[in-house]
Amino acid sequence: MRKFFIFLTIITCVLSSSVFAMTPTYANDAKFSRGVGNCCYYVDSAASGYTNQINDAAYNWENTGYGWNPIYMTAVSSNYATHIDFYAATPATNVYLNSSVLGFTSFWNSNSAVIVTPPYSPSYNYFYTEIMFNLSASDSYDYRTAKHEMGHAFGLAHYENSYSIMFPDLAGTYVTTVQQCDHDTINYLYN
Ligand SMILES: [Zn+2]
């Protein structure tokens, strides 16, 4: 009986590591149609208070510590032809923000038409994204928030794993940086 229990435990570990090794993607593996090898991002003046967090997140996604991935980020001074634009607003000025939303990502096509806004996720490839921070939520300034939203922009969905930067709730997120599971999904999507 004891041997049987140990055997079951081993099987469970193998199963869980193979099934849950990567952060989930959106339906149909929706992602940037242009890839992430030349990923330009623009920080609007409204989001200037998040500049350090954004630059830190860009650096972390480029340099995860888990080996190579195709992400290459460049900060630019106009939102022309960018991959990611950063803005900030309050619940009073943006309908998708409320006191429990630190930020959100919206997905756009090449005709500057929005494809998906919260709480929905894209199900086909998109041209660019906009990340909106909630100026009224102090946790929006937490360095994990920019990394988490940038993960959405790349095509990562929420992951019910506290050791992923894509865990949906900041208070329950045990890590402060992009993790192997997040890094592996970038390579899965874009290689
Ligand atoms: Zn999220």
Side-chain angles (χ1 to χ4, degrees):
M1 191 59 198
R2 185 180 167 81
K3 266 186 183 166
F4 183 64
F5 179 74
I6 291 168
F7 179 70
L8 261 187
T9 305
I10 291 167
I11 291 287
T12 307
C13 289
V14 170
L15 273 179
S16 58
S17 63
S18 58
V19 174
F20 300 110
M22 288 201 308
T23 300
T25 59
Y26 297 126
N28 303 314
D29 289 340
K31 61 184 176 181
F32 278 121
S33 55
R34 296 175 286 171
V36 290
N38 183 20
C39 208
C40 293
Y41 65 100
Y42 163 77
V43 182
D44 184 75
S45 58
S48 61
Y50 299 89
T51 302
N52 289 343
Q53 288 87 333
I54 292 165
N55 291 337
D56 175 71
Y59 183 85
N60 187 202
W61 278 108
E62 278 184 343
N63 304 279
T64 61
Y66 298 102
W68 185 86
N69 76 50
I71 295 172
Y72 186 82
M73 306 293 301
T74 306
V76 294
S77 56
S78 117
N79 63 356
Y80 177 73
T82 44
H83 278 62
I84 307 176
D85 300 329
F86 291 91
Y87 298 93
T90 68
T93 57
N94 188 286
V95 67
Y96 300 110
L97 293 174
N98 63 54
S99 59
S100 63
V101 175
L102 306 181
F104 69 83
T105 303
S106 54
F107 300 82
W108 301 70
N109 67 22
S110 57
N111 297 318
S112 299
V114 69
I115 298 169
V116 172
T117 50
Y120 303 105
S121 306
S123 55
Y124 53 91
N125 290 354
Y126 44 90
F127 194 68
Y128 73 96
T129 60
E130 290 185 1
I131 292 175
M132 183 74 67
F133 291 107
N134 184 352
L135 289 163
S136 301
S138 57
D139 278 349
S140 67
Y141 293 90
D142 188 293
Y143 276 61
R144 289 173 290 185
T145 303
K147 292 170 190 171
H148 176 98
E149 292 307 323
M150 208 176 282
H152 282 316
F154 292 137
L156 274 57
H158 281 152
Y159 191 10
E160 293 294 337
N161 173 350
S162 291
Y163 295 93
S164 164
I165 202 67
M166 299 314 293
F167 190 75
D169 171 34
L170 185 72
T173 306
Y174 297 163
V175 295
T176 57
T177 55
V178 175
Q179 298 298 296
Q180 175 115 47
C181 53
D182 311 312
H183 169 95
D184 287 350
T185 297
I186 296 295
N187 278 326
Y188 163 77
L189 279 175
Y190 291 102
N191 285 335

